[in-house]
């Protein structure tokens, strides 16, 4: 099987890099299989505290691989279930930071939206151009984008297929931070290093609780938050964090 990604561990960060530079990291079946498996392995590794998902300078990913879909029938697309597996990304516990440079289009933008914190180069470009191919987003784009930016902006992006700049994406609430072009990867790594200093269980429950906001009523969400908040008082890290504050020193979290 071709190696469509590169993985690396730096400090306690599991890095997954899409690696089809000649095809602007277009997401084919093998690449997505490898991305999901690599993220799952890092998620299960007790030495890893967060993951960093990235592409290269020219593209995070320019979408699903059009050549893999061009001649497919409806039944074939249904059986391939190409993107059904993406729910496994949603089920990961540890935070995922996306480092984005260049294009994040179609399935690439959808993959980016599966991440928790998105750091983008000021030169990055985003969009859901599927309409130009006679299709619509199919890996969660219509739902995640709408929840992220609201109906007016989502309709505009999905029905016109237009590309937007990083500044526009930031203003819409699609991405977390925009940084100078040459700093996109280092800045994302810096955010990951910062996450590595936090209490790991609190990080994971924080991620789970924010994600819950997309799926529940306000009352249910607040109830869920309350339970997870109380749960954290069963961790050594809560004791350490509060004791460190009282003793005016830096907390050292052990992850239990
Ligand atoms: N698929 C395959 N190849 C792609 C690609 C893609 N999405 N995007 C780029 N490439 C390839 C190009 O064909 C070219 O390959 P060669 O010709 O050199 O062999 C190479 O990458 C460099 O691209 P360009 O020569 O086009 O580079 P430019 O700088 O001129 O243009 C561009 C960059 C990003 C504007 C352009 O490449 C472009 O428009 N790309 C397509 C963008 C796009 O339409 N993306 C959406 C794809 S559809 C599903 C759920 C979801 C989806 C599908 C199914 N199910 C639930 C089953 C998602 C669909 C999509 O994402």
């Amino acid at each position: 099987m071709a190696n469509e990604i590169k993985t690396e561990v730096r400090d306690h960060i599991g890095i997954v890099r899409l690696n089809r530079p000649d095809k602007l990291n277009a997401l084919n079946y093998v690449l997505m299989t490898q991305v999901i498996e690599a993220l799952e392995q890092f998620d299960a590794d007790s030495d890893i505290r967060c993951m960093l998902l990235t592409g290269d300078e020219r593209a995070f990913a320019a979408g699903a691989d059009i050549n893999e879909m061009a001649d497919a029938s409806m039944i074939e697309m249904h059986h391939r279930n190409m993107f059904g597996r993406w729910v496994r990304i949603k089920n990961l516990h540890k935070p995922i930071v996306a480092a984005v440079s260049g294009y994040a289009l179609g399935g690439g933008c959808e993959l980016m939206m599966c991440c928790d914190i998105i750091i983008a180069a000021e030169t990055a470009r985003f969009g859901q151009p599927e309409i130009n191919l006679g299709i619509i987003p199919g890996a969660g784009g219509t739902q995640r984008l709408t929840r992220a930016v609201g109906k007016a902006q989502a309709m505009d992006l999905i029905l016109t297929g237009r590309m937007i700049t990083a500044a526009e994406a930031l203003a819409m609430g699609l991405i977390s931070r925009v940084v100078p072009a040459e700093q996109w990867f280092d800045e994302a790594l810096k955010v990951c290093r910062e996450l590595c200093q936090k209490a790991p269980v609190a990080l994971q429950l924080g991620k789970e609780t924010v994600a819950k906001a997309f799926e529940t009523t306000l009352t249910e969400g607040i109830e869920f938050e309350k339970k997870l908040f109380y749960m954290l008082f069963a961790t050594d890290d809560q004791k350490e964090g509060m004791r460190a504050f009282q003793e005016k020193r830096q907390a050292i979290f052990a992850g239990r």
Side-chain angles (χ1 to χ4, degrees):
M1 196 191 280
N3 224 353
E4 306 284 29
I5 63 167
K6 286 183 179 170
T7 61
E8 179 192 344
V9 174
R10 274 198 222 177
D11 305 322
H12 298 280
I13 306 159
I15 303 175
V16 178
R17 202 184 280 273
L18 311 188
N19 187 35
R20 294 187 78 204
D22 299 344
K23 300 291 175 190
L24 302 182
N25 295 323
L27 310 171
N28 63 21
Y29 190 87
V30 172
L31 180 145
M32 276 313 298
T33 305
Q34 293 175 351
V35 167
I36 293 167
E37 286 176 358
L39 289 172
E40 284 181 337
Q41 277 171 23
F42 283 140
D43 202 51
D45 182 340
S46 57
D47 204 41
I48 298 293
R49 293 200 169 188
C50 69
M51 281 85 83
L52 197 168
L53 182 60
T54 191
D56 54 44
E57 202 178 323
R58 222 176 137 206
F60 179 74
D65 191 322
I66 298 167
N67 300 318
E68 249 184 15
M69 299 182 285
D71 296 322
S73 69
M74 185 191 99
I75 302 293
E76 279 165 346
M77 287 303 283
H78 177 67
H79 283 295
R80 279 184 205 168
N81 191 22
M82 275 171 62
F83 293 87
R85 305 168 303 153
W86 285 38
V87 72
R88 286 161 58 191
I89 302 177
K90 180 172 167 283
N91 292 339
L92 297 169
H93 296 101
K94 294 174 185 167
I96 311 173
V97 175
V100 180
S101 174
Y103 298 108
L105 302 175
C109 190
E110 291 171 305
L111 179 60
M112 179 195 88
M113 285 191 281
C114 292
C115 298
D116 303 306
I117 299 178
I118 301 165
I119 309 297
E122 61 194 352
T123 46
R125 294 288 177 274
F126 306 83
Q128 297 289 162
E130 288 90 340
I131 198 80
N132 300 325
L133 300 168
I135 58 172
I136 62 171
T142 61
Q143 304 305 300
R144 284 207 176 89
L145 185 66
T146 308
R147 282 165 166 78
V149 305
K151 177 187 164 187
Q153 305 288 6
M155 284 290 190
D156 181 3
L157 291 178
I158 289 170
L159 301 188
T160 70
R162 77 183 178 95
M163 266 190 236
I164 56 169
T165 63
E168 284 176 278
L170 183 70
M172 283 180 190
L174 176 60
I175 59 177
S176 314
R177 302 185 201 178
V178 177
V179 298
E182 64 284 0
Q183 288 170 23
W184 61 280
F185 185 78
D186 289 345
E187 197 62 31
L189 202 57
K190 205 167 113 191
V191 172
C192 287
R193 290 211 167 96
E194 211 177 304
L195 297 185
C196 287
Q197 302 304 313
K198 310 293 181 196
V201 184
L203 269 187
Q204 292 179 28
L205 298 195
K207 166 175 172 153
E208 195 179 335
T209 317
V210 174
K212 198 77 170 175
F214 289 95
E215 313 216 2
T216 56
T217 63
L218 181 62
T219 305
E220 287 164 348
I222 286 173
E223 203 51 39
F224 184 77
E225 177 194 83
K226 196 168 66 186
K227 290 196 175 107
L228 268 54
F229 176 82
Y230 292 151
M231 265 173 68
L232 287 166
F233 284 75
T235 63
D236 291 348
D237 285 347
Q238 174 270 325
K239 301 286 174 289
E240 164 64 8
M242 294 195 180
R243 203 167 294 130
F245 172 80
Q246 291 171 330
E247 295 169 3
K248 301 189 187 304
R249 61 174 173 82
Q250 193 73 32
I252 299 167
F253 295 115
R256 50 178 190 269

